[in-house]
Structures are given as structure tokens and as C-alpha cells.
Amino acid sequence: MEAPKEFFKNVAGFVDRMSPSQVMMLLGVVAGTLVGVVFLVGWLNTVTYTRLYSDLDEAEAGEVVSYLSQNNIDYRLTAGGRTIEVPSSEVYQARIALATEGLPRSGSVGYSIFDENNLGMTDFLQNLNFRRALEGELTRTIMQLREVDAARVHIVIPENRLFKEDQKEATASVVLKLRRGGLGKQQVAGISHLVASSVEGLTPGNITIIDYDGNLLSSGQDSDALAGLSVSQIEVGHAVEQHLEQKAQTMLDEVLGPGNAVVRVTAQLDFQQLERTAEIYDANAPSIRSEQRIKNSNSSSDRSEDVSESQEEDAQETVITNYELNRTVDHIVNAVGNIERLSVAVLVDGTYSEVADEEGVVEMIYEPRSPEELDRLESVVKNAIGYDAERNDQVEMLNIAFDRRNIDTDREALDAMYLREFYMDAARKVGYVLLAAFLFLYLKKKSRKLFGALANLVPPPRPTRRAAREPEPVEDEIPDVLPEKRKPRLVDKMQETAKKEPEEIARVIKTMMVE
């Protein structure tokens, strides 16, 4: 009992000897340690839940919860009881265990539905199961997309009709639950083509896609395809214009210098796809198509040789020849996106020369370029863009002085901003270094005092029996060095006189004794 009392007494004395700043630091260290311990214990005891099943109806959710409760598996209900979550370490075991019990029975089914052999199933049920399996497989595939959180697919496959005009087209609808960011037009079109390619007789125009908020993502009409085609045409036109502008601009920048020329190109493209078939006949080179020969005989059927000879002489032969003119068939399909016409506008800055006035101030004087130089530049630009006079292309080049006041002002502002940012960044880094050095020195000083004071709180260890029996080590005694005492000068003289004249000293002593 004496040790705890002595310890607390030492603590109280230690706190009394500490300054207010040291007390605050000690309290901060103790509080930080306690908070860290509590946080660590809470983190170690935290259970992370993972989704087991979602979008379950109430009946099946109750069956799953009942099974989890019977098997002592922790669970948590979210989304109004339609989603069940279990600890992450038990999610796979729970799914396997529930699958052996046939739970859940609803949800997205796939082609595994045909693994069950049901004898006596009618064609209607067989078609219904096929449609359910197809919807389930498409749902699973669509849910693999990163932007899709949940999906439902509904397919309508009409019955086969006897007459073609009575046959109806297949349709489909897709409901998506999207994550933050949503889907782009290309992704929506991709989902439409995915569903259309998976169902026989289904076209992208017969597919409607909406989200959980009821927003229409794909109207299922051909107008979307036309709009997408128009967008693609605009993108192709911009790409052609940028390509031609870059070719002409880079060339002028190399000749005149950067910022001394501006090029703009407008291209008219032909996106009409024409297919033409031409037949050309050559009347000057006819050819024989067919020939027919007919022999006529006017003699009777006598068997004598003389009569037969006369019959051969009287025989007639008719020849019918059919001629046909030569022809050439050309099947021509023109390319899409041909350039119909180009319009190019080029602005060229002049030259500047330095001129000093009477006061010695240097000014920049603008000088326009010569017509010959502009003609040469125009010819070079035409060759760069592929100028064609038959297309009625037009190139307009104008020499004009550029307004560079804003450019100079912006350049000065940017330079000042750069210098300011540079100095601020340098000052910030120096401040961080000084602050870190100050904190290091301050903490080093305070920690040294704190640990020194804490060391005083710990009582010295008591000597053990073994240590008590053992003789204490004798330290080497170092003799004290005593300072030499200096005798007075009178004593020295008396000793010296006693040695030289002892009789006189004896007489003095006798006289003192008599007196």
C-alpha cells in the first residue's frame, strides 16, 4: 500500500513543480493517447456489411431473414427492407447456404431456368420461360456497366402470323438505375444495339430506355439516328476544317513567325451517297449475237442418182443473222464526305521597324507588305489546302495591322502574376521550413524537460537480498590535494636566527620567563 501512495505523492509533487505550458502539454498527450486507444478499439470491433441480395419482395425477404436468424448470421435491412446486408466475411457462405435452400426464388433468372426438367410443359410456358431467361441474361449483362446500378428488361415477342402484313414487330423496354454521372448518348445507343442484337426480329428503333426518375433516355424512333448522323457530319466537317487550318497556319508561322498570320477555313462537304448505273452502246462496232441457217429443197423423193443430183442443184439456203451493239455497264457509287467547296480567309500582319524620335524614344512603325509578297503567300496557301478552281474555291488574303495592345498588356500581367506566384511559393516554402525547425526545437526542449520530470516520478528499485549480501564495490579513493600552507615571514627569520645565534635566542627566552 505504501508504493501507490508514494507514487501518487510523487505525481502530485511533479505536477506542482510544472509550469502551466508543461501541464497543458501533459494533458494533451494523455488525451491524445486515450482518444487513439478508443479509436483503435472501435476500429477493431467495427463490422463491415456487404449487400447479400437486393430488390427482394417482402415474402422472400422474410424467408431469407428467417434463415439467417436460425443460423445465427448477423444481418441488416436497408432500402425499406428490400435489401439485406451481412458481414463481409460471411457473404459468400450465406449465399451458398441460401442457394442450397432454393432462396431467393425471384430476381433475375437466366438460362439456368431450363436446367429443371418439367415434363408436360406446354408451348406457352416454354416460350414464357425462354422470354424470362432472355430478360434475365440481358439484365445481368447491362448491370455489368459501371454507370448502371440496377436494371430491368421487358421484352414483347409477338406470335407468328400467317400473313406478313399481320405480323407485328418485337418491342422492348429497359429501366435503368444510374449512378452519379449517368450515361452518354453513345452508351445509350450501345445498350439499344445490345438488346436488339440479342432478340430476333428486334430493331433499335423499337427499344425504349428510361431511368428510375422517368426520364426518357432513348425514344426508340429513327429521329435519334438521324440526329446522330447530323452530329457525326458536323464533327467530320470540323475535323476537315481544323486539318486544313493547321496545315496553312503552321506553314505561315514558319515563314512569318508565330502570331503574324491567322487562317480560317470553311469546308462544304457532300454527305449524299449516290449510286449510278450507266450503259454505253457502241454503234460503230456491232457484233453477231446469233445466226440461223435454213435449207429449202424443191425436188421430189426419187431414189435415182440422176434425180438426186438435180435436186441438190435446185436446193436453196436461207441465213438469218442477229446483230447486237456493244455496251458498257458502269456501276458508280460516290464517296461520302467529298469536299464541294472551300472558303479560306487569311489575315497577315505587316512588318515593324524601330524609329527613334528627336527625344530618343524608340517607336515601332508599321509597314505594309508588298503585293508581290502577298501573292506569293496566297499561292503557297492555295497549294497547302488543295485549292481547286473547278470547285469554285475561294481564298481571300488581307494585309492588316494587328492590334497587339491587349497582347502586350496580357503579357505584362502574366509576367507579374508569374513573379508574384514565384515569390509567394518561395516564401511559403521558407515559412514551412522555419516553422518545422521552430516546432522541432520547441518540442525537443519540452520533451527533454517532460521526460526528465517523469524519470523523477519513478522510485528507485529496492536492493534484492542477493544484492544486499554482495559487498558494494569500493570505489578507488582519490586523495584530496591540500593546498600548501604558507608560513609567515617572521617565523622564517626566527628559525634562521636560532640556527645562526642559538645563545641569543636562549637569553631572550630566559628573560621572557623571568618577566
Side-chain angles (χ1 to χ4, degrees):
M1 296 299 292
E2 295 180 356
K5 292 182 179 179
E6 182 179 359
F7 176 75
F8 289 114
K9 184 178 180 181
N10 293 334
V11 171
F14 168 71
V15 174
D16 293 338
R17 292 191 301 270
M18 292 177 64
S19 62
S21 60
Q22 292 178 345
V23 173
M24 293 299 295
M25 181 177 292
L26 178 62
L27 293 177
V29 172
V30 174
T33 303
L34 294 177
V35 171
V37 171
V38 173
F39 177 78
L40 181 61
V41 173
W43 178 72
L44 293 176
N45 295 330
T46 301
V47 179
T48 303
Y49 285 85
T50 304
R51 182 183 303 175
L52 180 65
Y53 293 111
S54 61
D55 297 333
L56 297 177
D57 55 13
E58 297 179 355
E60 285 197 329
E63 294 179 359
V64 173
V65 168
S66 176
Y67 179 84
L68 296 177
S69 300
Q70 293 176 1
N71 291 271
N72 298 324
I73 299 176
D74 295 335
Y75 64 89
R76 187 172 63 182
L77 299 177
T78 58
R82 298 177 59 88
T83 301
I84 301 176
E85 297 179 353
V86 297
S88 302
S89 59
E90 301 179 0
V91 60
Y92 298 108
Q93 294 83 348
R95 286 179 181 175
I96 295 174
L98 289 169
T100 57
E101 298 294 331
L103 295 174
R105 298 185 179 86
S106 64
S108 298
V109 296
Y111 289 115
S112 59
I113 193 174
F114 294 105
D115 295 339
E116 300 177 1
N117 296 324
N118 295 325
L119 300 177
M121 181 178 294
T122 61
D123 293 340
F124 174 76
L125 293 178
Q126 190 75 11
N127 294 332
L128 182 61
N129 287 337
F130 172 74
R131 183 173 59 81
R132 289 179 57 196
L134 187 59
E135 292 175 352
E137 293 294 335
L138 288 174
T139 300
R140 294 177 180 177
T141 303
I142 295 173
M143 289 181 63
Q144 297 298 321
L145 300 177
R146 292 191 300 268
E147 293 79 4
V148 178
D149 194 10
R152 292 293 300 273
V153 179
H154 303 280
I155 301 174
V156 177
I157 302 177
E159 297 180 357
N160 294 327
R161 301 293 181 178
L162 181 61
F163 298 101
K164 185 177 180 180
E165 55 271 12
D166 297 337
Q167 183 66 38
K168 296 182 179 179
E169 297 181 352
T171 58
S173 60
V174 181
V175 183
L176 302 176
K177 182 179 181 180
L178 303 177
R179 297 177 182 175
R180 185 174 300 177
L183 295 173
K185 292 184 178 180
Q186 296 295 333
Q187 294 171 317
V188 173
I191 294 176
S192 299
H193 285 279
L194 171 66
V195 177
S197 302
S198 303
V199 181
E200 182 181 1
L202 182 61
T203 59
N206 292 331
I207 299 175
T208 302
I209 302 177
I210 63 173
D211 59 5
Y212 270 31
D213 297 329
N215 299 321
L216 186 63
L217 304 179
S218 175
S219 61
Q221 298 179 358
D222 296 336
S223 59
D224 289 345
L226 296 177
L229 183 60
S230 300
V231 172
S232 301
Q233 292 176 359
I234 294 174
E235 292 178 353
V236 171
H238 287 171
V240 172
E241 293 173 354
Q242 291 178 0
H243 176 65
L244 296 177
E245 287 178 3
Q246 184 179 6
K247 291 176 64 177
Q249 186 69 54
T250 53
M251 183 185 59
L252 292 177
D253 290 343
E254 292 293 336
V255 176
L256 305 177
N260 292 323
V262 179
V263 181
R264 294 293 181 267
V265 178
T266 301
Q268 296 180 3
L269 305 181
D270 184 12
F271 292 99
Q272 293 182 356
Q273 186 175 3
L274 299 179
E275 184 176 350
R276 182 177 61 182
T277 303
E279 294 186 4
I280 302 175
Y281 294 90
D282 188 3
N284 297 324
S287 60
I288 298 176
R289 181 178 182 181
S290 62
E291 186 178 18
Q292 183 179 8
R293 295 177 179 272
I294 301 175
K295 293 183 179 181
N296 295 325
S297 177
N298 296 326
S299 62
S300 60
S301 59
D302 291 338
R303 297 181 180 179
S304 59
E305 295 179 358
D306 297 336
V307 177
S308 62
E309 293 177 357
S310 60
Q311 290 176 352
E312 291 177 359
E313 293 177 356
D314 296 337
Q316 297 179 357
E317 182 178 4
T318 304
V319 179
I320 300 175
T321 303
N322 295 324
Y323 293 92
E324 186 173 358
L325 299 177
N326 293 335
R327 68 171 182 170
T328 302
V329 180
D330 294 334
H331 186 73
I332 303 174
V333 179
N334 68 326
V336 179
N338 290 330
I339 298 177
E340 289 186 347
R341 187 171 180 270
L342 290 177
S343 298
V344 183
V346 183
L347 294 179
V348 180
D349 195 7
T351 59
Y352 295 86
S353 59
E354 297 181 356
V355 177
D357 55 6
E358 297 178 354
E359 298 179 356
V361 179
V362 179
E363 296 182 356
M364 303 298 294
I365 304 301
Y366 170 78
E367 295 180 1
R369 298 182 184 273
S370 62
E372 293 79 7
E373 185 179 2
L374 294 177
D375 292 339
R376 290 195 299 269
L377 294 176
E378 182 178 354
S379 177
V380 171
V381 171
K382 288 181 179 179
N383 293 330
I385 64 173
Y387 176 84
D388 189 358
E390 295 181 357
R391 292 190 312 222
N392 196 19
D393 293 348
Q394 184 178 2
V395 177
E396 185 70 23
M397 182 170 289
L398 181 62
N399 183 204
I400 189 172
F402 288 3
D403 186 5
R404 300 183 179 276
R405 291 176 297 179
N406 294 333
I407 298 177
D408 296 337
T409 303
D410 295 340
R411 184 183 295 110
E412 294 176 358
L414 290 175
D415 293 339
M417 185 181 300
Y418 173 75
L419 292 176
R420 185 168 58 254
E421 291 293 335
F422 175 76
Y423 291 134
M424 290 295 294
D425 184 60
R428 191 182 301 110
K429 292 180 179 178
V430 172
Y432 289 156
V433 173
L434 294 178
L435 180 61
F438 174 75
L439 291 177
F440 175 75
L441 296 176
Y442 179 77
L443 293 177
K444 182 179 180 181
K445 180 179 179 181
K446 293 298 181 181
S447 61
R448 183 180 298 174
K449 292 183 178 180
L450 179 62
F451 287 115
L454 291 176
N456 297 329
L457 294 177
V458 181
R462 296 181 178 179
T464 58
R465 295 180 179 178
R466 181 178 179 183
R469 293 176 181 177
E470 294 180 355
E472 296 182 357
V474 179
E475 297 181 355
D476 296 337
E477 295 182 356
I478 300 175
D480 297 335
V481 179
L482 299 177
E484 183 180 358
K485 295 182 179 180
R486 189 68 177 174
K487 297 180 179 180
R489 293 181 180 181
L490 180 61
V491 176
D492 295 341
K493 290 182 178 181
M494 291 177 64
Q495 290 179 356
E496 187 177 355
T497 304
K499 291 179 180 180
K500 292 181 180 182
E501 300 177 356
E503 297 177 356
E504 293 292 335
I505 297 299
R507 188 169 53 252
V508 171
I509 294 174
K510 289 179 179 180
T511 302
M512 293 176 61
M513 291 177 63
V514 172
E515 293 178 355

